[in-house]
Amino acid sequence: MFKYLFAKNEDIPSGSAAVFFGFSSIIWFVIGTGLGSFNAAKLAFPDFVTGNIYFAFGHMRQVHVMAVIFGWISMAFAMAMMYITPALGNTKLWSEKLGLWNCLLWNVGLLLGLTVLWAGVTSGREYSDFPWPIDLYLAFFVFIPLAINVWMTILNRRTQGIYTTNWFFAAAIFMVIIVFLVGNSPEFFHLTGLTEAYLTWWFAHNVLGLWITPVAAAIAYYTIPKVTGNPLYSHRIGHLHFWSVVVFYSTPAAHHLMSAPLPEWLKSFASVEGVLILVPAIAFVSNIMLTMKGKWHMFVENVEVRFTITGCLMAIPLNMQGGFQQTRAINWYIHGTGWIVAHAHLALLGFSTFLESAAVYLGLQTIMKRKLYSLTLANMHFWLLLIGFTTYWVSMTIAGLIQGAGKIYEVPYIDVVIAEHPYMIARWIGGTLVFIGNVLWLYNMWMTARKGTEVPQGRMPHELGYER
């Protein structure tokens, strides 16, 4: 990468930025899930690594969260945008050089941010833990350069119209910049009290709703038609999905603070809009499932399709949970319990991760023109990720219900801790399986780059997946 940083844009091979974003995202995924496994071990075995404040759960938990969100997830999104956006516009990325600098500055800024977090320098606000100088760095050296590259590539397209995927890409990168700047305003302007609490959860809600959810869905709108050869079932349903996400997901986020002294109408409005996220969810899942018509054998045969469809199916429990747990009737029971932790991982480690894993698999093979080094390792990665995630999600959901019952019926706290302990061990086992799967994935993609069979001109890597 470094030899191209000061090269002329026309001398940089197409796809260079996407390749480096792809490998960066996998490395951060290994780091993030490794930290997650370590943190889970501390909850399962309280005497594990004690006596050092830098390995305390409170120091490491937010490092894990931010490494996964801004390292793995967001960098995988950047990789997908820099590969898919020009492909859909029948053009090249507007600036490979800007993309390479974007990747370098992203890695440097994230490493700096996680280092200061680990040292204990934090805003103290969940999901926006970085101190304000890091927030400004990420806004102006990470998201805005990415936005310029994506928008200019779409403007310079050589096709009529804009496909659904690029609608989502262009809008999501615009929305995340707004969310990032407004959501972190409590630090910029020293806002405190209820205002700080409200904007903290407005940020947390909309990073998921207006960045992670739409971009992950956009990837599926490209991957499934591209790999199966089927046209998208309905562009109109895709547009319904797009506009209903913008309208219904951009909620006031007051459902995160049901017990706070916010206006009651605001909390009710947030709950109703929360249930209405079922509209884009049903539109998305039905559109992708119907696009698969006649090609369901590829769910078994093709790695990218298997990852994508599994992620799409996870959107069903994700949005059923997300919609109804925002209502007062359910929120009072599960708020502040492990149920919420399980739900967050269903969104980030389930729905989103499976979809963007497919994009990274497909994109890296296509750009490097290399057949996947080992299909066996890819299948092992899929099953370790699926079994590990499912173990984590189910165990934390059960633990959350136990905690909710203990809260409502005023069970002594230590009795709740004892009752949920087996599920903390299951949580650690699940997270460790995910980590192992990601190590195998990193090795597989590295070997694909080094020793993968070259894909003949005019063929796609997934077409060669089962050829010896």
Side-chain angles (χ1 to χ4, degrees), residues 441-468:
W441 186 26
L442 178 59
Y443 172 76
N444 198 13
M445 298 316 295
W446 175 253
M447 293 302 293
T448 298
R450 295 290 300 275
K451 296 185 178 181
T453 305
E454 189 168 346
V455 176
Q457 190 71 24
R459 300 291 300 277
M460 289 290 290
H462 65 266
E463 298 172 348
L464 310 178
Y466 284 83
E467 291 185 10
R468 298 291 182 183

Side-chain angles (χ1 to χ4, degrees), residues 118-257:
W118 207 324
V121 181
T122 170
S123 69
R125 294 182 295 110
E126 193 166 7
Y127 290 106
S128 48
D129 301 271
F130 288 133
W132 67 266
I134 302 296
D135 292 332
L136 290 176
Y137 180 100
L138 292 176
F140 289 100
F141 293 102
V142 168
F143 290 116
I144 290 177
L146 175 63
I148 292 171
N149 227 351
V150 170
W151 295 338
M152 291 303 297
T153 302
I154 293 173
L155 286 174
N156 287 287
R157 69 190 184 279
R158 292 187 290 179
T159 56
Q160 280 191 324
I162 300 175
Y163 181 65
T164 307
T165 293
N166 278 349
W167 276 55
F168 277 103
F169 283 170
I173 190 64
F174 169 75
M175 291 186 291
V176 77
I177 292 170
I178 301 301
V179 167
F180 212 81
L181 292 174
V182 175
N184 285 295
S185 58
E187 271 208 278
F188 303 150
F189 304 109
H190 304 292
L191 305 176
T192 59
L194 189 60
T195 305
E196 179 186 20
Y198 178 62
L199 283 171
T200 295
W201 286 105
W202 182 86
F203 172 86
H205 175 79
N206 286 314
V207 160
L208 176 66
L210 300 180
W211 172 240
I212 296 174
T213 298
V215 179
I219 288 170
Y221 280 126
Y222 175 81
T223 305
I224 291 300
K226 182 67 176 179
V227 177
T228 63
N230 286 351
L232 182 65
Y233 175 75
S234 172
H235 290 271
R236 289 189 176 184
I237 294 177
H239 294 162
L240 169 65
H241 178 202
F242 175 85
W243 288 112
S244 56
V245 162
V246 173
V247 173
F248 298 139
Y249 225 138
S250 57
T251 65
H255 55 273
H256 288 275
L257 297 164

Side-chain angles (χ1 to χ4, degrees), residues 58-79:
H59 266 267
M60 295 186 65
R61 188 254 177 191
Q62 63 263 43
V63 180
H64 155 68
V65 172
M66 303 306 261
V68 170
I69 293 178
F70 294 104
W72 155 238
I73 293 175
S74 295
M75 292 188 93
F77 285 169
M79 182 270 173

Side-chain angles (χ1 to χ4, degrees), residues 288-452:
I288 296 299
M289 295 299 112
L290 290 166
T291 301
M292 282 291 294
K293 185 178 180 181
K295 296 295 178 71
W296 279 100
H297 60 92
M298 297 188 75
F299 178 71
V300 177
E301 298 171 357
N302 184 272
V303 171
E304 293 86 2
V305 170
R306 193 182 312 133
F307 270 99
T308 305
I309 294 301
T310 303
C312 290
L313 292 173
M314 287 182 183
I316 299 171
L318 170 66
N319 288 279
M320 291 296 291
Q321 273 193 348
F324 290 105
Q325 74 187 28
Q326 298 180 41
T327 61
R328 296 171 192 265
I330 298 175
N331 187 273
W332 71 279
Y333 192 91
I334 52 90
H335 183 75
T337 71
W339 172 289
I340 305 300
V341 180
H343 175 72
H345 282 76
L346 176 57
L348 303 180
L349 183 57
F351 165 73
S352 172
T353 285
F354 277 85
L355 292 172
E356 63 209 34
S357 294
V360 175
Y361 267 112
L362 179 63
L364 287 179
Q365 292 178 78
T366 303
I367 297 167
M368 297 188 300
K369 296 181 174 61
R370 291 286 186 273
K371 178 184 171 183
L372 194 63
Y373 173 73
S374 172
L375 191 61
T376 300
L377 287 177
N379 287 326
M380 286 179 65
H381 175 222
F382 173 83
W383 287 109
L384 284 169
L385 184 58
L386 181 62
I387 295 169
F389 159 73
T390 304
T391 302
Y392 184 103
W393 180 51
V394 171
S395 62
M396 285 307 297
T397 299
I398 296 171
L401 294 173
I402 292 171
Q403 292 166 353
K407 175 178 67 174
I408 300 306
Y409 296 108
E410 299 181 353
V411 176
Y413 179 71
I414 189 60
D415 292 341
V416 177
V417 172
I418 294 170
E420 69 180 3
H421 183 241
Y423 304 101
M424 295 298 106
I425 297 175
R427 168 191 189 160
W428 168 70
I429 293 171
T432 303
L433 289 176
V434 171
F435 170 64
I436 294 169
N438 291 336
V439 172
L440 294 178
W441 186 26
L442 178 59
Y443 172 76
N444 198 13
M445 298 316 295
W446 175 253
M447 293 302 293
T448 298
R450 295 290 300 275
K451 296 185 178 181

